[in-house]
Amino acid sequence: MILIFGGAYQGKLEYAQKNWNFREEDVFHCEDNLAIDLSKKVIYGLHHFCFACACEGADTLSVLKAYEIPLKDKIFILNDISQGVVPIDADERAWREEVGRTMLKLSKEADEVYRVFCGLGQRLK
């Protein structure tokens, strides 16, 4: 498994595409709901899926593993929303915490972890 994270609009998807050479049809773009297609190689915008899980009070990684599809060959890409001011809104705080917990768990399981800033990737693991 590969985990790629960084701030919004930092070129994470472009960095991944350049380094792992996949096509657009290999990418699932997450939205703020519990729909996810784990048959795709790349799961982009996982922080949106985390938002839906947080709203439902569900653990993101548990939901992903319930699909019984191996995660080891996936590339997960998400925004790091842990920086900055803590939100006043309870749902946004829960989302921020869920993204943090998900990043922590995925990074432990991942073979490779990258932070992307200004389109430049830094391998952390």
Side-chain angles (χ1 to χ4, degrees):
M1 175 193 321
I2 297 170
L3 175 65
I4 301 171
F5 71 94
Y9 310 107
Q10 294 299 311
K12 298 178 292 294
L13 184 58
E14 293 82 4
Y15 176 81
Q17 201 162 25
K18 178 180 148 192
N19 287 282
W20 288 277
N21 197 26
F22 52 83
R23 299 179 316 253
E24 178 57 34
E25 54 265 19
D26 297 326
V27 180
F28 177 77
H29 295 265
C30 295
E31 297 180 12
D32 291 341
N33 59 50
L34 290 174
I36 193 162
D37 184 355
L38 291 176
S39 70
K40 303 285 187 174
K41 178 172 182 59
V42 179
I43 309 301
Y44 177 74
L46 188 65
H47 57 284
H48 293 294
F49 184 75
C50 290
F51 179 76
C53 289
C55 289
E56 295 292 324
D59 174 68
T60 301
L61 204 53
S62 296
V63 173
L64 291 174
K65 288 184 176 184
Y67 281 89
E68 297 182 1
I69 295 174
L71 303 179
K72 64 181 178 165
D73 64 337
K74 305 293 179 211
I75 299 173
F76 289 100
I77 303 172
L78 71 159
N79 286 0
D80 178 6
I81 62 170
S82 66
Q83 307 297 313
V85 178
V86 177
I88 293 173
D89 181 72
D91 288 340
E92 289 183 7
R93 278 196 314 275
W95 174 39
R96 179 179 166 136
E97 291 172 15
E98 185 58 31
V99 169
R101 282 192 294 272
T102 300
M103 287 175 60
L104 179 75
K105 292 174 187 174
L106 285 176
S107 66
K108 286 181 180 177
E109 292 187 22
D111 299 310
E112 301 174 47
V113 178
Y114 296 86
R115 167 187 270 156
V116 176
F117 181 73
C118 295
L120 303 172
Q122 176 184 26
R123 185 173 179 163
L124 303 176
K125 178 180 179 186

